[in-house]
Amino acid sequence: MTPLPGDLGAAGPSPVGPAARVEPAGPPTVRRHNRGLVLAAVASAPASRAAVAASTGLTRGTVSSLVDDLLADGMLVELEAPRGGRGRPANPLQLNPSGPCGVGVEIDVDDIAACVADLTGTVRVTRRVPSAHRHHPPADGLRRAAALAREVVAEAGLPVAGVRVALPGVVTPDGVLQRAPNLPRWENVDGLVDALGVGVPVTAANEADLAALAELWTGQGLRDMLFVSGGVGVGAGIVLDGRLFRGAGGRAGELGHVVVDPAGRACTCGGTGCLETVASTAALLRAADVPDVDALVRDPGPALDVAGAALGIALAGAVNLLDVPVVVLGGIYGRLGDALRTRVRDALRSRVVARPPVRVLRAAVTRDAALHGAALGVVRDLVGV
């Protein structure tokens, strides 16, 4: 693809490509690791240099040297010491909200979105605009996504550390979009760094995986869950012991193409009767006989029973296989509220052998979850938490 014009920040190495060769840890590697320890120590609350040394096990001299570097790099700021008390007060350190930021980009079937998250995890700017991609080449959507990303970065006014792109399909560990059933021309899309033309490290991941991570990081304190996201397609993110499970080739969680009705409609993947054919947004609009998502949320009618039954079949197989204690409903499913949650819960109780019963929860983040998960992932990698 032709590189696109524009620059979001200083150039950096691209993580998209073959895995890096593993080498013995030398002084630079150890220092990077220790920088991460310091950043993680102040990520949750301001802490003095002495407190950082105590919590990390590093010497005070090492911490002081690392903090000086991090202050110079704009990663930390040193606050005024609190007044009162005995002895010499210590200046607390905190992550710099004006420091390097993470940019999230989401490319969906019918729209694109971009957001900026600062080092504290606060989402500073979010923007979503219509953009049809189903019948257009990837270069068109990537060009629009890059332009939108530049807009939100300019509005936020922060230096950019990296970009993560949420994509609606199978994304390999090295960042290749192998296949997106709802985007038939987006097959084996590689070279996102060149295609986005943003001049900073760019990574890519499946949108449902990123939404699951957003739920893990900002949601309900769940460390084991099956997160299912409903939209144009249906995807799932699997979180086990606080870590995303992507499978050997990044294909885990393709729940939308589990067959729930062998005699059902043809699916965009080439199969028949997949979950997406009865529980995607378009299918639910058809079942409810309403024109748009807002109308569906107001009056879902028979769509609740259709979605509840289909999700019950697909999710029961996944829960029985993975032994996860919680299912989280995100995207349009989360917006449909307790009525759908109750139907899915009842369907699982009749189909899942686990005891106690699997809990079914609505997602804490039902809008822009994948987008925010993308930006927050960049920040968390940078901070080392």
Side-chain angles (χ1 to χ4, degrees):
M1 298 178 187
T2 303
L4 305 178
D7 183 16
L8 292 183
S14 166
V16 178
R21 183 163 58 98
V22 177
E23 297 179 349
T29 302
V30 173
R31 191 166 182 82
R32 283 196 299 271
H33 173 74
N34 289 341
R35 278 170 60 103
L37 291 178
V38 172
L39 288 169
V42 301
S44 58
S48 67
R49 298 183 189 217
V52 170
S55 66
T56 61
L58 299 171
T59 67
R60 291 197 180 192
T62 297
V63 168
S64 183
S65 174
L66 292 167
V67 166
D68 288 342
D69 286 350
L70 291 166
L71 289 170
D73 291 344
M75 299 287 288
L76 294 178
V77 290
E78 199 159 25
L79 307 177
E80 290 188 9
R83 298 185 178 184
R86 297 181 179 179
R88 183 180 178 181
N91 296 78
L93 302 159
Q94 74 170 23
L95 295 175
N96 184 4
S98 298
C101 69
V103 177
V105 174
E106 183 176 8
I107 300 174
D108 211 336
V109 176
D110 298 315
D111 59 27
I112 53 174
C115 77
V116 171
D118 67 27
L119 278 179
T120 70
T122 301
V123 176
R124 303 278 284 265
V125 183
T126 300
R127 191 167 299 155
R128 184 177 294 274
V129 298
S131 180
H133 307 130
R134 193 185 298 270
H135 303 298
H136 297 275
D140 290 353
L142 291 169
R143 184 179 298 109
R144 296 188 191 105
L148 188 63
R150 289 192 288 272
E151 288 181 20
V152 297
V153 166
E155 184 174 340
L158 300 176
V160 178
V163 178
R164 189 152 298 165
V165 184
L167 296 168
V170 176
V171 182
T172 66
D174 56 355
V176 176
L177 176 63
Q178 275 192 338
R179 189 183 183 207
N182 291 302
L183 295 174
R185 299 187 66 175
W186 292 58
E187 188 169 319
N188 294 319
V189 179
D190 197 357
L192 286 173
V193 175
D194 293 335
L196 282 175
V198 292
V200 295
V202 178
T203 53
N206 171 266
E207 56 88 17
D209 285 347
L210 291 171
L213 288 174
E215 184 70 22
L216 172 68
W217 296 330
T218 63
Q220 306 168 75
L222 305 173
R223 291 185 58 81
D224 295 278
M225 64 176 163
L226 180 60
F227 181 96
V228 56
S229 177
V232 174
V234 179
I238 304 164
V239 176
L240 303 175
D241 194 25
R243 298 176 64 86
L244 182 69
F245 176 75
R246 300 183 67 248
R251 301 176 186 86
E254 286 296 312
L255 190 74
H257 301 290
V258 171
V259 175
V260 297
D261 180 8
R265 290 173 174 261
C267 181
T268 55
C269 73
T272 301
C274 297
L275 177 64
E276 278 192 11
T277 66
V278 292
S280 66
T281 298
L284 296 180
L285 292 175
R286 189 167 57 244
D289 193 22
V290 292
D292 54 44
V293 169
D294 289 337
L296 175 67
V297 171
R298 287 194 303 270
D299 184 19
L304 288 175
D305 291 326
V306 171
L311 284 167
I313 294 171
L315 287 169
V319 169
N320 280 328
L321 184 65
L322 296 170
D323 187 27
V324 288
V326 180
V327 167
V328 179
L329 301 179
I332 185 61
Y333 302 147
R335 293 184 62 192
L336 286 171
D338 286 339
L340 177 61
R341 184 187 66 82
T342 300
R343 284 165 170 79
V344 174
R345 181 200 64 193
D346 292 344
L348 287 177
R349 285 181 177 176
S350 68
R351 293 176 178 273
V352 173
V353 298
R355 293 292 183 272
V358 176
R359 289 194 294 155
V360 179
L361 306 175
R362 293 172 62 192
V365 182
T366 58
R367 296 176 186 264
D368 296 326
L371 180 66
H372 292 174
L376 291 173
V378 174
V379 170
R380 289 176 68 89
D381 287 349
L382 193 62
V383 173
V385 296

